[in-house]
């Protein structure tokens, strides 16, 4: 199941996703596709609908309407099959405070029925070493710093080596060296065929890593494409991603805001 008459099946597809909370339309008809092996950036202001979209894509949140597919598998119709193919990092990583890092990785690996054995051990040691957590062995995750929780959360996805990663602000709270490590790791994984959909506020991360981005504003996609396509859409060949982001998301210009504040 890798292609159709229309072309290859996307690794991730959001099709007209809607999530309503009472009268609030947190996500309002979001559609996009991410190709296999692509690093795709999902950008938007606070409250734009990024986390809600990602939670629907990974099956954590039921859409009000619309569908989401992982490798062509409907996340609502066949949740176990779709979830086996993805790793999801929430903005507030789901980690177990009463386990050590090693115990938590074993716990997740057991949940996904990874065989206990040399291969699991090898991956675990490599990840703990990579994220500089190997020497915090006896410590419970509850005592970890935010950045360390972020790293053990990421390690708990990577131990399974899923083909699709959905990451909500993966570099949030990481020091510059750890953030660089995560960026390099994602590039390496992508070059080996892993698909990465990441949300971020840090536009340099998106500009450095992502081949294509989607910009979401108040629940709706306002632009999708490569930097070149976004520049063409904004009618400015020289625009940085920050210029494009500010142009394609609503709200008064910062100069106007400052003037109003100081008036
Ligand atoms: P941030 O960058 O600040 O994390 P976001 O783009 O991830 O923001 P969401 O968390 O998806 O935004 O929120 C989108 C909208 O949905 C916001 O207006 C938020 O208040 C609303 N919302 C999210 N979750 C709920 C909920 N459980 N109940 C009611 N409203 C919600």
């Amino acid at each position: 199941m890798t292609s159709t008459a229309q072309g290859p099946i996307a690794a991730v597809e959001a099709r007209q996703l809607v999530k309503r909370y009472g009268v609030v339309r947190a996500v309002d008809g979001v559609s996009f596709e991410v190709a296999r092996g692509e690093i795709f950036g999902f950008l938007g202001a606070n409250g734009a609908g990024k986390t809600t979209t990602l939670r629907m894509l990974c099956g954590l949140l039921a859409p009000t309407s619309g569908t989401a597919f992982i490798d062509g598998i409907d996340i609502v119709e066949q949740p176990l099959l779709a979830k086996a193919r993805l790793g999801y990092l929430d903005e507030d990583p789901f980690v177990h405070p009463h386990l050590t890092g090693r115990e938590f990785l074993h716990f997740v690996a057991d949940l996904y029925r990874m065989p206990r054995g040399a291969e699991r051990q090898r991956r675990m040691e490599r990840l703990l070493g990579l994220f500089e957590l190997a020497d915090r062995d006896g410590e419970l995750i509850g005592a970890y710093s935010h950045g360390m929780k972020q790293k053990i959360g990421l390690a708990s996805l990577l131990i399974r080596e899923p083909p699709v990663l959905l990451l909500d602000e993966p570099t949030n709270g990481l020091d510059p060296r750890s953030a660089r490590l995560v960026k390099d790791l994602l590039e390496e994984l992508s070059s080996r065929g892993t698909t990465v959909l990441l949300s971020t506020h840090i536009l340099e991360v998106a500009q450095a890593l992502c081949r294509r981005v989607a910009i979401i504003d108040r629940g709706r996609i306002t632009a999708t494409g490569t930097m070149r396509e976004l520049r063409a859409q904004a009618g400015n060949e020289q625009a940085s991603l920050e210029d494009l982001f500010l142009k394609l998301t609503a709200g008064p210009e910062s100069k106007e805001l400052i003037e109003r504040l100081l008036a």
Side-chain angles (χ1 to χ4, degrees), residues 1-13 33-36 71-72:
M1 194 169 53
T2 53
S3 65
T4 65
Q6 289 79 42
I9 285 180
V12 181
E13 183 184 353
E33 289 187 10
V34 185
R36 286 217 168 81
D71 274 343

Side-chain angles (χ1 to χ4, degrees), residues 37-52:
E38 186 175 21
I39 306 185
F40 185 92
F42 199 40
L43 316 179
N46 291 132
K50 302 178 298 296
T51 297
T52 308

Side-chain angles (χ1 to χ4, degrees), residues 44-55 58 60 88-95 146-147 149-151 153 157 166-174 199-201:
N46 291 132
K50 302 178 298 296
T51 297
T52 308
T53 303
L54 287 182
R55 286 180 179 168
C58 76
L60 204 59
Y88 171 64
L89 183 73
D90 197 78
E91 62 179 352
D92 192 10
F94 303 122
V95 288
H146 176 77
K149 284 182 186 147
Q150 189 85 356
K151 288 193 272 188
L157 317 185
L166 306 179
L167 310 176
D168 201 352
E169 297 281 355
T171 56
N172 191 16
L174 296 186
S199 87
T200 183
H201 290 293

